[in-house]
Amino acid sequence: MPHVSDLLRTPAGRRLTLVAGPWDARPVESVVLVDEPGELSRAPAGAVAVLSRGAARDGPGVTASLRVAGERGLAALVVQGLSGTSPPIVELARKARVALLAGAPGQTLSDLVFGLREVVRSDPGVLLRRTREAVERLGAVEGAGEDVILRAASAAVGVAYDVAGVAGPAGTPGAVSAATPDSGAVSTVASTSGAVSAATSAVIRVDGRADGYVRWAEEDPAAAIVAGVVAAMLGRVRAAARAAEAARSAALLALLRAPAKDLPAATRRARVAGVPVEGWHVAVFTRAAPAAFAGADLGGSVLTTPWQDGVLTVHTRDERPPRGEDPLDTALIAKVLPPDAVAGLGTCQRGPEGLRRTAAQARTAAARARPGEAEAFDRLGVHAVLAELTGSDSAVMAARDMLGPLDRLGALAPHAVPTLKAYLDAWGSRTKAAAVLNLHPNAVAHRVRRIAEVLDLDLSDPQTRFALQLACHVLTEAGP
């Protein structure tokens, strides 16, 4: 490791003058800038402490500063504008084993501190020590969250690390998580530049693909080595989190699709995967594009997964919120909903059966929402009956049995249920049904005739027509 004598031979240290004390009593391990008098008592051992003019002017004086530096085991104390000294100070510096250095009057603190730090950081011994200490500290937080890892790395190396997302098509980076080496605080801020320097960044990879960057401000060999370790750790954390999320999503989908007889087994699997099946659930179903609730303070657990022809978000809390106080409402959903998307909001339900019910309600409500808006199930009125039927396994099975013969229609089979539904909803009007289906009325008549033949049912009978119409709606709401 370098000593004060080595620093004085470098371009950054040539303008410094040794006023008192030994210049090789302690190895130099770091360089710190002291802006406030109290900061000197927190300087690490082996540091060269550079006092700003404010700290030197408002501080306890050179004598007291030397005593503190000796107690802390500092290598040197740099005082700007120090012109001379006295025999007591010379003797104190010798006993404290601290080099007292005078800074040149015209030398800026930033150039001095930066230059000395570069010399110290490039020393092989210092580089090895800083890297080893940082890796040991990171090993203690393996598997922790990203913010914990960033704080540990920043504190160990003395460099502020942040994490930036992969740039979008226009070069716009994502959100940045930043950790400061002094306070250890982590905050999320917006990146101000789409450029990521290869010299001061390390790629985070998940499953072999770039997933973001670990960045820092200064070109520091130790910071670069540790950043590679941090990037690998964050890649493992993200991969594990996504695997757990995928398992929860698969378990939730299995719970939603399970027949009534298999519901207990599906509930157990969902519970093991981490789905909070026992709480109070409110579901949001979106089509075209999902609503992003990342910035909303919802509390509880939020689980999002693709489902049927859209995206389902389930918000779960341990206790049922008072009526009218649930954080998820149509106003919030509409605020974060893309203009071309629609959304539906289910009612608050409890337990695994309640989760299935609120999901079906949300999907039904979404079918009646206008683009850019959200519809609540409890405002649907008579249409709410269809959602309850959709959530009933027996109703769905009865509808599929009734309309099952339509599968024998060959090329017409995929269009049979929509055609029959439009025809019955139009009270048997071929013209109105044709407008809904974008067909000629004669094509509608031909399809309806073939449908009636394969079903072997009398479409003129009111009860038959009602049962078929209800079956078409139940299958449409239930989805594939």
Side-chain angles (χ1 to χ4, degrees):
M1 294 186 185
H3 291 74
V4 174
S5 56
D6 300 314
L7 297 183
L8 295 178
R9 297 188 184 98
T10 64
R14 283 175 186 161
R15 299 183 65 187
L16 296 175
T17 303
L18 179 66
V19 176
W23 64 2
D24 57 358
R26 295 187 179 102
V28 177
E29 300 186 22
S30 63
V31 179
V32 297
L33 176 62
V34 177
D35 273 328
E36 309 246 347
E39 294 178 358
L40 186 62
S41 61
R42 299 191 296 272
V48 172
V50 181
L51 271 64
S52 69
R53 294 189 181 276
R57 181 183 64 249
D58 302 332
V62 175
T63 302
S65 296
L66 273 174
R67 288 197 182 96
V68 174
E71 293 170 358
R72 297 291 300 171
L74 304 189
L77 192 66
V78 180
V79 181
Q80 292 292 98
L82 184 64
S83 57
T85 186
S86 62
I89 290 180
V90 172
E91 180 63 17
L92 178 59
R94 183 187 66 81
K95 289 183 178 180
R97 303 177 66 213
V98 176
L100 180 60
L101 305 174
Q107 192 174 24
T108 63
L109 286 180
S110 59
D111 290 342
L112 173 62
V113 173
F114 180 77
L116 294 179
R117 280 179 177 172
E118 288 298 299
V119 174
V120 174
R121 287 175 174 176
S122 62
D123 181 80
V126 175
L127 174 62
L128 181 61
R129 178 188 59 79
R130 295 173 66 217
T131 304
R132 184 181 66 250
E133 291 178 355
V135 171
E136 289 176 353
R137 191 176 297 192
L138 288 173
V141 296
E142 178 71 41
E146 291 196 14
D147 56 344
V148 175
I149 294 172
L150 284 174
R151 279 198 299 265
S154 298
V157 185
V159 172
Y161 288 108
D162 65 40
V163 175
V166 178
T172 302
V176 174
S177 296
T180 60
D182 297 328
S183 66
V186 174
S187 59
T188 301
V189 298
S191 177
T192 56
S193 172
V196 176
S197 171
T200 57
S201 65
V203 182
I204 302 170
R205 297 190 182 277
V206 178
D207 297 330
R209 305 179 67 176
D211 196 66
Y213 301 90
V214 175
R215 308 186 308 176
W216 64 99
E218 304 174 11
E219 293 189 16
D220 180 352
I225 295 172
V226 174
V229 178
V230 173
M233 292 179 68
L234 296 187
R236 291 193 293 271
V237 169
R238 294 184 179 186
R242 290 174 191 177
E245 190 71 16
R248 285 193 294 270
S249 177
L252 174 60
L253 291 176
L255 178 66
L256 294 173
R257 296 168 179 160
K261 63 183 180 63
D262 296 333
L263 183 57
T267 299
R268 287 193 297 272
R269 288 193 294 269
R271 190 182 296 112
V272 170
V275 179
V277 293
E278 306 302 341
W280 290 89
H281 315 285
V282 176
V284 177
F285 183 82
T286 56
R287 286 192 181 92
F293 300 106
D297 183 16
L298 300 179
S301 168
V302 178
L303 182 57
T304 300
T305 183
W307 182 51
Q308 296 186 3
D309 56 342
V311 175
L312 178 69
T313 298
V314 180
H315 174 221
T316 304
R317 301 177 70 173
D318 292 335
E319 307 230 346
R320 181 171 191 168
R323 187 171 182 83
E325 295 184 15
D326 196 291
L328 267 180
D329 56 23
T330 53
L332 171 63
I333 299 169
K335 187 182 299 184
V336 298
L337 196 66
D340 58 341
V342 296
L345 176 66
T347 60
C348 188
Q349 301 287 333
R350 187 178 186 180
E353 293 185 357
L355 194 156
R356 289 153 59 100
R357 186 175 300 113
T358 187
Q361 291 175 349
R363 189 173 181 274
T364 297
R368 288 164 177 79
R370 292 181 294 182
E373 295 183 358
E375 184 63 74
F377 175 81
D378 55 9
R379 295 204 298 258
L380 293 183
V382 295
H383 297 290
V385 176
L386 288 176
E388 296 301 327
L389 286 174
T390 303
S392 168
D393 291 330
S394 58
V396 174
M397 291 176 63
R400 286 175 178 164
D401 289 342
M402 180 180 294
L403 300 177
L406 296 179
D407 293 336
R408 300 199 298 266
L409 287 175
L412 179 58
H415 311 286
V417 171
T419 300
L420 181 60
K421 176 177 177 294
Y423 176 75
L424 296 175
D425 287 349
W427 297 87
S429 170
R430 293 177 298 171
T431 303
K432 292 181 180 179
V436 172
L437 298 170
N438 197 23
L439 293 173
H440 191 277
N442 291 342
V444 174
H446 172 71
R447 288 186 178 184
V448 170
R449 184 168 56 254
R450 293 192 59 193
I451 290 171
E453 290 173 355
V454 76
L455 289 176
D456 193 22
L457 294 174
D458 181 11
L459 296 186
S460 63
D461 178 65
Q463 290 188 347
T464 300
R465 292 168 63 93
F466 174 73
L468 287 173
Q469 186 178 15
L470 190 58
C472 288
H473 277 273
V474 167
L475 287 190
T476 301
E477 297 292 337

